[in-house]
Amino acid sequence: MPKEQVHLHWASTNKQQPCFCNPEIYLNVTKLKATPETIAAIFGVKEPETIELKERENGKIIALEEGEQPVWQLEPDCHYDVHVAGCKDSLAPAVPINQIFSLFPGDTDDEKSDNIQKLSENFYGKIWNDKETPKEFQDRFISLTSSASIQAFRQYDWFHEVFGGPSMMGSSNPRKSILLPKVMAKHTSSRMTREYAITWLEIMDKSVNEEFPNEETLQAALKLYWIHFFGWFPYSDEDRREFRRIVWK
């Protein structure tokens, strides 16, 4: 493991709530600042201000350096526990990422898989055909493939695996994901601008609401996952607050 990374552990005292992602996260502090916004995004915590970091070895609270962008100064290759204070509403729903598949409507795995595919087809259908989609964003996505259906299947492929679908996509453990390196490699800085991220979230929010209007638990889990995914990219705290505003409006 690179020396510039720190170990972040989901504290077992967090209202007995299972961790939304992997219970141990390696954070490269040269690429991502250890701010409440970033750590909340990664761990699926709705309210960043409720997060507290402690040294894993002795329980010492790490002081948050205040400023325009509050940050914890963490020592590379050291271990820290992520604690969440306050009400349980600040935590993720009691469904980890790799169990979100179970929340999709359907009595069988095939029916649940079909609903994931419908979500992706709805999303990419909007990118290809919705006149309200910004042209620059549309051109960026259309240039990657020959059709909406191909791109939708690629997204479905990813969602099916990371949400814990049947083994046709490999391991349901996000840490062992076979698609993760490929997905992350495709999301270059030129594609992950603030503007593109906002457009992506707005379109996906519409698609989720259209496909699953009455599935509140599923919607909440998906919203947390979108924020979690963007958590791995070097956005500012202001950007992350805007992302949260869009999904939790």
Side-chain angles (χ1 to χ4, degrees):
M1 186 186 74
K3 289 290 186 181
E4 62 269 16
Q5 292 193 350
V6 299
H7 305 252
L8 297 177
H9 302 263
W10 182 248
S12 60
T13 56
N14 287 332
K15 308 292 190 298
Q16 307 303 312
Q17 192 84 345
C19 187
F20 185 62
C21 55
N22 293 319
E24 181 180 4
I25 292 294
Y26 304 128
L27 187 71
N28 188 323
V29 291
T30 64
K31 295 181 178 180
L32 291 174
K33 292 184 178 180
T35 70
E37 287 286 347
T38 296
I39 294 177
I42 291 173
F43 278 95
V45 177
K46 288 176 62 176
E47 299 173 7
E49 64 274 13
T50 64
I51 289 181
E52 184 176 70
L53 295 189
K54 297 181 180 180
E55 291 185 12
R56 190 170 181 82
E57 184 176 350
N58 56 30
K60 178 183 176 181
I61 296 175
I62 305 300
L64 181 66
E65 291 189 3
E66 299 295 341
E68 184 176 339
Q69 185 165 280
V71 63
W72 285 289
Q73 298 296 345
L74 306 180
E75 293 295 326
D77 206 27
C78 289
H79 294 254
Y80 301 89
D81 282 341
V82 178
H83 292 262
V84 179
C87 64
K88 193 170 182 177
D89 289 343
S90 62
L91 296 176
V95 178
I97 292 172
N98 62 353
Q99 294 178 24
I100 291 177
F101 180 84
S102 67
L103 299 178
F104 280 88
D107 295 326
T108 67
D109 285 349
D110 285 346
E111 290 176 354
K112 293 178 184 296
S113 296
D114 287 345
N115 277 309
I116 295 178
Q117 186 161 352
K118 288 178 182 177
L119 173 62
S120 292
E121 289 174 347
N122 184 314
F123 174 75
Y124 278 99
K126 283 180 168 49
I127 292 177
W128 252 253
N129 304 312
D130 194 332
K131 294 181 180 179
E132 294 183 3
T133 301
K135 189 175 187 307
E136 183 180 354
F137 180 87
Q138 193 175 49
D139 290 344
R140 168 71 66 172
F141 273 76
I142 290 177
S143 68
L144 296 176
T145 189
S146 59
S147 72
S149 60
I150 291 176
Q151 196 67 15
F153 182 78
R154 289 172 179 166
Q155 185 188 74
Y156 156 80
D157 211 13
W158 164 245
F159 287 168
H160 193 282
E161 176 182 324
V162 79
F163 293 157
S167 60
M168 60 178 283
M169 297 302 163
S171 171
S172 61
N173 183 339
R175 178 178 291 177
K176 298 178 180 178
S177 170
I178 58 174
L179 290 177
L180 179 58
K182 294 180 180 179
V183 170
M184 298 300 282
K186 289 181 179 179
H187 289 74
T188 60
S189 58
S190 64
R191 295 184 63 194
M192 300 302 290
T193 66
R194 169 191 168 96
E195 292 73 20
Y196 287 169
I198 288 173
T199 300
W200 192 100
L201 287 168
E202 290 174 339
I203 295 173
M204 182 57 81
D205 189 56
K206 291 180 183 178
S207 295
V208 170
N209 287 332
E210 289 174 5
E211 293 296 328
F212 314 114
N214 302 314
E215 304 292 336
E216 293 184 5
T217 303
L218 172 61
Q219 285 196 22
L222 291 175
K223 290 173 188 291
L224 285 170
Y225 178 70
W226 311 147
I227 299 300
H228 165 86
F229 184 79
F230 286 115
W232 292 106
F233 296 90
Y235 294 106
S236 69
D237 279 5
E238 181 182 353
D239 293 340
R240 298 195 193 285
R241 283 191 288 271
E242 179 64 11
F243 299 163
R244 286 195 290 112
R245 185 196 66 76
I246 291 170
V247 301
W248 296 113
K249 64 179 182 294

